[in-house]
Amino acid sequence: MTRSELIAQLAASNPHLRQPDVELIVSTIFDEITDALARGDRVELRGFGAFSIKKRDPRTGRNPRTGSAVAVSAKAVPYFKPGKELRERVNGGPLQTPARKPRAATVAG
């Protein structure tokens, strides 16, 4: 799904919102996630997953054409770890809400 397809689907499922408003909402969400990662922050969306930054150390790589050694500098790359609910839905498992444990009864005495 592309960004424009996402906007079109959200606009269709929310007729009370205008298309430009949906575009602004989607752009704002993506911009905030991007800005947080650029600052080095972690972004967690419960039930969906977490975005974070992984640091890659400098290394010596190889040019695949010539086979010569190439210095690859250190860098930070975005990383996404899916949440449990997302993994279950993608794998076709039932969407379950966490079961709550019953509270122990207190006896007034």
Side-chain angles (χ1 to χ4, degrees):
M1 175 180 284
T2 64
R3 178 185 281 218
S4 58
E5 291 170 341
L6 174 64
I7 291 169
Q9 187 172 353
L10 288 172
S13 63
N14 294 284
H16 60 284
L17 295 174
R18 297 175 332 139
Q19 177 100 5
D21 294 337
V22 174
E23 289 176 18
L24 179 62
I25 291 167
V26 170
S27 292
T28 301
I29 291 171
F30 288 156
D31 290 344
E32 288 300 319
I33 291 172
T34 302
D35 292 345
L37 291 175
R39 289 189 307 267
D41 295 339
R42 183 172 186 266
V43 178
E44 183 177 335
L45 305 171
R46 296 286 167 120
F48 183 71
F51 296 91
S52 61
I53 295 294
K54 295 268 184 173
K55 305 281 186 195
R56 291 203 179 157
D57 294 331
R59 62 184 174 87
T60 302
R62 296 270 174 214
N63 182 332
R65 263 192 207 164
T66 64
S68 62
V70 177
V72 179
S73 59
K75 62 178 113 180
V77 292
Y79 175 76
F80 175 73
K81 181 178 179 185
K84 181 179 177 183
E85 184 177 324
L86 176 61
R87 283 193 313 269
E88 287 176 354
R89 289 183 71 174
V90 167
N91 289 318
L95 178 61
Q96 297 176 357
T97 56
R100 293 215 163 124
K101 294 180 182 177
R103 289 185 173 183
T106 56
V107 178

PDB file of all heavy atoms in Angstrom, residues 81-101:
ATOM      1  N   LYS A  81      10.472  -3.146  14.954  1.00  0.00           N
ATOM      2  CA  LYS A  81      10.190  -4.422  15.611  1.00  0.00           C
ATOM      3  C   LYS A  81       8.679  -4.529  15.753  1.00  0.00           C
ATOM      4  O   LYS A  81       8.061  -3.743  16.482  1.00  0.00           O
ATOM      5  CB  LYS A  81      10.852  -4.485  16.984  1.00  0.00           C
ATOM      6  CG  LYS A  81      10.602  -5.807  17.676  1.00  0.00           C
ATOM      7  CD  LYS A  81      11.293  -5.875  19.016  1.00  0.00           C
ATOM      8  CE  LYS A  81      10.984  -7.217  19.668  1.00  0.00           C
ATOM      9  NZ  LYS A  81      11.536  -7.284  21.010  1.00  0.00           N
ATOM     10  N   PRO A  82       8.058  -5.469  15.066  1.00  0.00           N
ATOM     11  CA  PRO A  82       6.595  -5.584  15.146  1.00  0.00           C
ATOM     12  C   PRO A  82       6.135  -6.019  16.526  1.00  0.00           C
ATOM     13  O   PRO A  82       6.818  -6.784  17.208  1.00  0.00           O
ATOM     14  CB  PRO A  82       6.254  -6.641  14.091  1.00  0.00           C
ATOM     15  CG  PRO A  82       7.520  -7.388  13.863  1.00  0.00           C
ATOM     16  CD  PRO A  82       8.651  -6.469  14.194  1.00  0.00           C
ATOM     17  N   GLY A  83       4.961  -5.543  16.916  1.00  0.00           N
ATOM     18  CA  GLY A  83       4.359  -5.925  18.180  1.00  0.00           C
ATOM     19  C   GLY A  83       3.698  -7.289  18.081  1.00  0.00           C
ATOM     20  O   GLY A  83       3.493  -7.838  17.000  1.00  0.00           O
ATOM     21  N   LYS A  84       3.347  -7.834  19.213  1.00  0.00           N
ATOM     22  CA  LYS A  84       2.766  -9.177  19.277  1.00  0.00           C
ATOM     23  C   LYS A  84       1.454  -9.254  18.486  1.00  0.00           C
ATOM     24  O   LYS A  84       1.229 -10.197  17.732  1.00  0.00           O
ATOM     25  CB  LYS A  84       2.525  -9.557  20.737  1.00  0.00           C
ATOM     26  CG  LYS A  84       1.947 -10.939  20.917  1.00  0.00           C
ATOM     27  CD  LYS A  84       1.759 -11.259  22.383  1.00  0.00           C
ATOM     28  CE  LYS A  84       1.100 -12.620  22.544  1.00  0.00           C
ATOM     29  NZ  LYS A  84       0.839 -12.925  23.941  1.00  0.00           N
ATOM     30  N   GLU A  85       0.591  -8.253  18.644  1.00  0.00           N
ATOM     31  CA  GLU A  85      -0.700  -8.266  17.952  1.00  0.00           C
ATOM     32  C   GLU A  85      -0.511  -8.236  16.434  1.00  0.00           C
ATOM     33  O   GLU A  85      -1.182  -8.958  15.705  1.00  0.00           O
ATOM     34  CB  GLU A  85      -1.528  -7.066  18.404  1.00  0.00           C
ATOM     35  CG  GLU A  85      -2.921  -7.043  17.822  1.00  0.00           C
ATOM     36  CD  GLU A  85      -3.733  -5.867  18.346  1.00  0.00           C
ATOM     37  OE1 GLU A  85      -3.580  -5.508  19.525  1.00  0.00           O
ATOM     38  OE2 GLU A  85      -4.515  -5.325  17.560  1.00  0.00           O
ATOM     39  N   LEU A  86       0.417  -7.434  15.951  1.00  0.00           N
ATOM     40  CA  LEU A  86       0.685  -7.368  14.512  1.00  0.00           C
ATOM     41  C   LEU A  86       1.214  -8.700  14.011  1.00  0.00           C
ATOM     42  O   LEU A  86       0.765  -9.208  12.971  1.00  0.00           O
ATOM     43  CB  LEU A  86       1.681  -6.252  14.213  1.00  0.00           C
ATOM     44  CG  LEU A  86       2.129  -6.125  12.753  1.00  0.00           C
ATOM     45  CD1 LEU A  86       0.949  -5.839  11.842  1.00  0.00           C
ATOM     46  CD2 LEU A  86       3.174  -5.040  12.619  1.00  0.00           C
ATOM     47  N   ARG A  87       2.152  -9.296  14.728  1.00  0.00           N
ATOM     48  CA  ARG A  87       2.689 -10.603  14.314  1.00  0.00           C
ATOM     49  C   ARG A  87       1.589 -11.646  14.240  1.00  0.00           C
ATOM     50  O   ARG A  87       1.533 -12.450  13.304  1.00  0.00           O
ATOM     51  CB  ARG A  87       3.779 -11.060  15.291  1.00  0.00           C
ATOM     52  CG  ARG A  87       5.101 -10.370  15.122  1.00  0.00           C
ATOM     53  CD  ARG A  87       6.217 -11.069  15.881  1.00  0.00           C
ATOM     54  NE  ARG A  87       5.890 -11.415  17.251  1.00  0.00           N
ATOM     55  CZ  ARG A  87       6.104 -10.645  18.305  1.00  0.00           C
ATOM     56  NH1 ARG A  87       6.665  -9.471  18.147  1.00  0.00           N
ATOM     57  NH2 ARG A  87       5.788 -11.038  19.518  1.00  0.00           N
ATOM     58  N   GLU A  88       0.685 -11.664  15.230  1.00  0.00           N
ATOM     59  CA  GLU A  88      -0.393 -12.646  15.236  1.00  0.00           C
ATOM     60  C   GLU A  88      -1.334 -12.441  14.056  1.00  0.00           C
ATOM     61  O   GLU A  88      -1.743 -13.400  13.406  1.00  0.00           O
ATOM     62  CB  GLU A  88      -1.168 -12.570  16.544  1.00  0.00           C
ATOM     63  CG  GLU A  88      -0.407 -13.135  17.723  1.00  0.00           C
ATOM     64  CD  GLU A  88      -1.132 -12.964  19.047  1.00  0.00           C
ATOM     65  OE1 GLU A  88      -2.198 -12.307  19.081  1.00  0.00           O
ATOM     66  OE2 GLU A  88      -0.631 -13.483  20.058  1.00  0.00           O
ATOM     67  N   ARG A  89      -1.677 -11.202  13.765  1.00  0.00           N
ATOM     68  CA  ARG A  89      -2.591 -10.940  12.645  1.00  0.00           C
ATOM     69  C   ARG A  89      -1.963 -11.290  11.310  1.00  0.00           C
ATOM     70  O   ARG A  89      -2.610 -11.845  10.434  1.00  0.00           O
ATOM     71  CB  ARG A  89      -3.039  -9.488  12.656  1.00  0.00           C
ATOM     72  CG  ARG A  89      -3.992  -9.213  13.815  1.00  0.00           C
ATOM     73  CD  ARG A  89      -4.494  -7.822  13.811  1.00  0.00           C
ATOM     74  NE  ARG A  89      -5.427  -7.617  12.716  1.00  0.00           N
ATOM     75  CZ  ARG A  89      -6.114  -6.497  12.541  1.00  0.00           C
ATOM     76  NH1 ARG A  89      -5.956  -5.495  13.366  1.00  0.00           N
ATOM     77  NH2 ARG A  89      -6.944  -6.379  11.538  1.00  0.00           N
ATOM     78  N   VAL A  90      -0.671 -10.995  11.143  1.00  0.00           N
ATOM     79  CA  VAL A  90       0.021 -11.305   9.897  1.00  0.00           C
ATOM     80  C   VAL A  90       0.128 -12.813   9.706  1.00  0.00           C
ATOM     81  O   VAL A  90      -0.002 -13.317   8.589  1.00  0.00           O
ATOM     82  CB  VAL A  90       1.416 -10.642   9.876  1.00  0.00           C
ATOM     83  CG1 VAL A  90       2.281 -11.185   8.758  1.00  0.00           C
ATOM     84  CG2 VAL A  90       1.275  -9.139   9.758  1.00  0.00           C
ATOM     85  N   ASN A  91       0.323 -13.538  10.788  1.00  0.00           N
ATOM     86  CA  ASN A  91       0.461 -14.990  10.706  1.00  0.00           C
ATOM     87  C   ASN A  91      -0.868 -15.719  10.721  1.00  0.00           C
ATOM     88  O   ASN A  91      -0.900 -16.934  10.836  1.00  0.00           O
ATOM     89  CB  ASN A  91       1.364 -15.494  11.840  1.00  0.00           C
ATOM     90  CG  ASN A  91       2.800 -15.096  11.626  1.00  0.00           C
ATOM     91  OD1 ASN A  91       3.298 -15.174  10.515  1.00  0.00           O
ATOM     92  ND2 ASN A  91       3.450 -14.634  12.669  1.00  0.00           N
ATOM     93  N   GLY A  92      -1.964 -14.991  10.636  1.00  0.00           N
ATOM     94  CA  GLY A  92      -3.276 -15.613  10.536  1.00  0.00           C
ATOM     95  C   GLY A  92      -3.849 -16.105  11.839  1.00  0.00           C
ATOM     96  O   GLY A  92      -4.868 -16.774  11.847  1.00  0.00           O
ATOM     97  N   GLY A  93      -3.206 -15.790  12.931  1.00  0.00           N
ATOM     98  CA  GLY A  93      -3.718 -16.216  14.223  1.00  0.00           C
ATOM     99  C   GLY A  93      -4.909 -15.374  14.630  1.00  0.00           C
ATOM    100  O   GLY A  93      -5.155 -14.300  14.078  1.00  0.00           O
ATOM    101  N   PRO A  94      -5.680 -15.847  15.569  1.00  0.00           N
ATOM    102  CA  PRO A  94      -6.839 -15.076  16.010  1.00  0.00           C
ATOM    103  C   PRO A  94      -6.405 -13.825  16.759  1.00  0.00           C
ATOM    104  O   PRO A  94      -5.402 -13.832  17.465  1.00  0.00           O
ATOM    105  CB  PRO A  94      -7.577 -16.035  16.944  1.00  0.00           C
ATOM    106  CG  PRO A  94      -6.510 -16.966  17.432  1.00  0.00           C
ATOM    107  CD  PRO A  94      -5.515 -17.077  16.305  1.00  0.00           C
ATOM    108  N   LEU A  95      -7.130 -12.761  16.537  1.00  0.00           N
ATOM    109  CA  LEU A  95      -6.878 -11.528  17.257  1.00  0.00           C
ATOM    110  C   LEU A  95      -7.503 -11.674  18.628  1.00  0.00           C
ATOM    111  O   LEU A  95      -8.711 -11.814  18.768  1.00  0.00           O
ATOM    112  CB  LEU A  95      -7.492 -10.337  16.522  1.00  0.00           C
ATOM    113  CG  LEU A  95      -7.339  -8.992  17.195  1.00  0.00           C
ATOM    114  CD1 LEU A  95      -5.869  -8.640  17.339  1.00  0.00           C
ATOM    115  CD2 LEU A  95      -8.038  -7.917  16.406  1.00  0.00           C
ATOM    116  N   GLN A  96      -6.662 -11.706  19.629  1.00  0.00           N
ATOM    117  CA  GLN A  96      -7.159 -11.909  20.979  1.00  0.00           C
ATOM    118  C   GLN A  96      -6.761 -10.737  21.841  1.00  0.00           C
ATOM    119  O   GLN A  96      -5.658 -10.213  21.736  1.00  0.00           O
ATOM    120  CB  GLN A  96      -6.570 -13.186  21.577  1.00  0.00           C
ATOM    121  CG  GLN A  96      -6.973 -14.427  20.836  1.00  0.00           C
ATOM    122  CD  GLN A  96      -6.284 -15.648  21.410  1.00  0.00           C
ATOM    123  OE1 GLN A  96      -5.480 -15.560  22.317  1.00  0.00           O
ATOM    124  NE2 GLN A  96      -6.613 -16.808  20.879  1.00  0.00           N
ATOM    125  N   THR A  97      -7.667 -10.350  22.702  1.00  0.00           N
ATOM    126  CA  THR A  97      -7.324  -9.337  23.691  1.00  0.00           C
ATOM    127  C   THR A  97      -6.770 -10.068  24.896  1.00  0.00           C
ATOM    128  O   THR A  97      -7.153 -11.208  25.183  1.00  0.00           O
ATOM    129  CB  THR A  97      -8.557  -8.515  24.098  1.00  0.00           C
ATOM    130  OG1 THR A  97      -9.567  -9.403  24.559  1.00  0.00           O
ATOM    131  CG2 THR A  97      -9.092  -7.730  22.920  1.00  0.00           C
ATOM    132  N   PRO A  98      -5.841  -9.468  25.599  1.00  0.00           N
ATOM    133  CA  PRO A  98      -5.260 -10.162  26.751  1.00  0.00           C
ATOM    134  C   PRO A  98      -6.319 -10.490  27.791  1.00  0.00           C
ATOM    135  O   PRO A  98      -7.163  -9.666  28.119  1.00  0.00           O
ATOM    136  CB  PRO A  98      -4.250  -9.168  27.313  1.00  0.00           C
ATOM    137  CG  PRO A  98      -4.219  -8.005  26.400  1.00  0.00           C
ATOM    138  CD  PRO A  98      -5.314  -8.158  25.401  1.00  0.00           C
ATOM    139  N   ALA A  99      -6.289 -11.715  28.261  1.00  0.00           N
ATOM    140  CA  ALA A  99      -7.249 -12.134  29.286  1.00  0.00           C
ATOM    141  C   ALA A  99      -6.844 -11.526  30.619  1.00  0.00           C
ATOM    142  O   ALA A  99      -5.674 -11.511  30.978  1.00  0.00           O
ATOM    143  CB  ALA A  99      -7.283 -13.654  29.376  1.00  0.00           C
ATOM    144  N   ARG A 100      -7.808 -11.048  31.328  1.00  0.00           N
ATOM    145  CA  ARG A 100      -7.539 -10.462  32.643  1.00  0.00           C
ATOM    146  C   ARG A 100      -7.699 -11.534  33.704  1.00  0.00           C
ATOM    147  O   ARG A 100      -8.625 -12.341  33.666  1.00  0.00           O
ATOM    148  CB  ARG A 100      -8.510  -9.328  32.918  1.00  0.00           C
ATOM    149  CG  ARG A 100      -8.273  -8.169  31.996  1.00  0.00           C
ATOM    150  CD  ARG A 100      -8.536  -6.886  32.745  1.00  0.00           C
ATOM    151  NE  ARG A 100      -7.949  -5.779  32.028  1.00  0.00           N
ATOM    152  CZ  ARG A 100      -8.609  -4.736  31.641  1.00  0.00           C
ATOM    153  NH1 ARG A 100      -9.884  -4.620  31.901  1.00  0.00           N
ATOM    154  NH2 ARG A 100      -8.003  -3.756  31.008  1.00  0.00           N
ATOM    155  N   LYS A 101      -6.790 -11.522  34.631  1.00  0.00           N
ATOM    156  CA  LYS A 101      -6.876 -12.469  35.734  1.00  0.00           C
ATOM    157  C   LYS A 101      -7.893 -11.941  36.739  1.00  0.00           C
ATOM    158  O   LYS A 101      -7.932 -10.746  37.024  1.00  0.00           O
ATOM    159  CB  LYS A 101      -5.514 -12.601  36.415  1.00  0.00           C
ATOM    160  CG  LYS A 101      -4.462 -13.215  35.539  1.00  0.00           C
ATOM    161  CD  LYS A 101      -3.160 -13.303  36.270  1.00  0.00           C
ATOM    162  CE  LYS A 101      -2.091 -13.880  35.363  1.00  0.00           C
ATOM    163  NZ  LYS A 101      -0.801 -13.924  36.021  1.00  0.00           N
TER     164      LYS A 101
END
